[in-house]
Structures are given as C-alpha cells and as structure tokens.
Amino acid sequence: MRMTKIEVIATVLIACGIMALTACQGKSGTTSASVTSSSDTITAIADSQQQPKGYLKAIDKYLVEEIGKNYDKSDVCIPQAMIVATDDKDDQDIKVWGDFWIFNYNLAGDTLKTASGGSFPGLIHLKKSGNEYEITSFERVADGADNLPSAKKIFGDKFDAFQKMNSNEKGREENRAQGIATYVKEHNIKATMYQDYGWPVVKLPE
C-alpha cells in the first residue's frame, strides 16, 4: 500500500531519531498554555477560528500540554485535530472521535521547519465544569498488530468515515496549512512558509 506524505514524514522522523517518545496516557490538562519570546518555546492553542467550540479548544490544549511534552522542545508546537464525529448531547461525557496530531517546528528565517510530530487517532472524552472543559480520558488506537482491530472497536460505525478522512491527503494538508497560517497570525510569528523534512517548502495561505 502506497504511503501518504504524512506517513513518509513520520517514518523519516523516526528513522532520524528526531521523534521523541509518543506514547502517553490520557490525562486532564489543567495548566494554561504560554507564549514566550521567539528564543524560547512557543506553546499555545492553535486555530481557534476553525474550532470555535470550547471543548475543541480544550482538546488542542491537551494535545500541546500532555502529548506535546513528550517531545524535545522546539520553537513552535501546533496541534492539528482532524475531527471525524462528535457527540455533545451529554455535557458530562462529550465524545470526540478523530485523528489528533502534534507538529513541532523550528523557525529558520521565515520558514517553519518540521522537527517532530505524531498522529494519535482515537476517542477523547470530556466533561463540562462551569465554563471550562476537562479531558477525562483518551481511548487511543493501538500501534502495531492491534492497530486495525482497536481502530474498528473505538470508531465503530464511524470507522469508514475515519478511513476516508485519512485517505484524503490533499484535504488534510490543506487543513494543516490553514491551521498553521491562523496560528502564526494570531501569535505574531514571522513565518510565511513551512517545510517537512525532505519535501519542498509550502507557502502559507493568506
């Protein structure tokens, strides 16, 4: 089966020893994200315009603070939530199925160069407490031989939609580029392009 661009990137990152530990247990993120000077790590919630619901912002925060911390520090840590489906009828058990990514970049001139990252598909559970949302658990798709069986179990009748989304590489890359563009604009980062290892630079959309 032909690997997608993002799968090739992940493989290269692992082979080069750039990707840090990606396995972690689902925890509730409670500390605030921070934005520091360009010489320090820049950490914040990405793309609030594309993900206006509070619980989706909470997921971004969780990805940065709880999963992003397992990587070596980079200049910029940007989450990318590819949502398959949501069920928010019960605000004490909001369910969000998706493929949740972390991308870490180092800023070189006006280009964000991919340093590390990973994909974390699964089902995130949240609850609402006042005006805040808290991640209560994260059912992650297993690696290796258990990948397909666990994905089918977690996504259930949404599995076909999950597979269709994952096969749409063009749509995923467009969504990623737009997310980066929104992030750098909101956080005044002097970047106009990004570049994955071994691939041409990509100009960010206006």
Side-chain angles (χ1 to χ4, degrees):
M1 184 174 64
R2 183 175 177 270
M3 295 179 73
T4 65
K5 174 188 174 185
I6 210 70
E7 289 170 334
V8 172
I9 293 164
T11 301
V12 170
L13 289 172
I14 294 170
C16 293
I18 298 174
M19 183 173 288
L21 176 67
T22 59
C24 68
Q25 300 299 319
K27 300 178 182 177
S28 169
T30 56
T31 57
S32 298
S34 61
V35 181
T36 62
S37 67
S38 59
S39 61
D40 298 322
T41 300
I42 302 169
T43 303
I45 307 310
D47 204 1
S48 59
Q49 291 181 357
Q50 286 194 356
Q51 298 186 359
K53 291 186 177 180
Y55 58 80
L56 295 178
K57 293 181 184 179
I59 289 173
D60 278 348
K61 183 172 186 284
Y62 171 83
L63 292 173
V64 168
E65 295 182 354
E66 295 299 323
I67 293 181
K69 70 182 182 182
N70 294 288
Y71 292 89
D72 291 338
K73 288 186 179 298
S74 299
D75 292 332
V76 183
C77 177
I78 302 180
Q80 184 79 27
M82 304 291 292
I83 305 302
V84 175
T86 62
D87 179 354
D88 57 6
K89 294 187 293 293
D90 180 359
D91 64 8
Q92 293 303 294
D93 186 21
I94 298 167
K95 302 178 183 71
V96 182
W97 293 264
D99 192 5
F100 306 101
W101 285 82
I102 278 289
F103 290 99
N104 295 301
Y105 303 94
N106 288 318
L107 185 62
D110 63 349
T111 303
L112 289 170
K113 292 184 175 288
T114 307
S116 60
S119 168
F120 304 86
L123 168 59
I124 292 180
H125 296 261
L126 308 94
K127 69 177 181 180
K128 187 175 183 181
S129 178
N131 293 324
E132 302 297 324
Y133 292 88
E134 175 185 352
I135 281 78
T136 56
S137 65
F138 183 12
E139 298 179 52
R140 280 182 51 192
V141 172
D143 295 325
D146 293 329
N147 180 268
L148 186 59
S150 67
K152 288 182 176 180
K153 180 179 179 181
I154 290 170
F155 283 92
D157 61 1
K158 302 165 185 63
F159 178 73
D160 287 346
F162 169 63
Q163 282 198 313
K164 183 177 180 180
M165 183 192 71
N166 270 354
S167 66
N168 184 5
E169 182 181 0
K170 180 180 178 182
R172 184 170 59 246
E173 285 298 308
E174 288 175 353
N175 191 35
R176 179 186 172 198
Q178 187 59 59
I180 297 171
T182 302
Y183 180 93
V184 300
K185 184 180 294 183
E186 289 181 352
H187 300 288
N188 298 314
I189 299 171
K190 304 302 182 183
T192 61
M193 297 176 287
Y194 74 96
Q195 184 177 26
D196 292 325
Y197 183 84
W199 294 81
V201 295
V202 177
K203 184 174 177 56
L204 295 174
E206 299 292 336

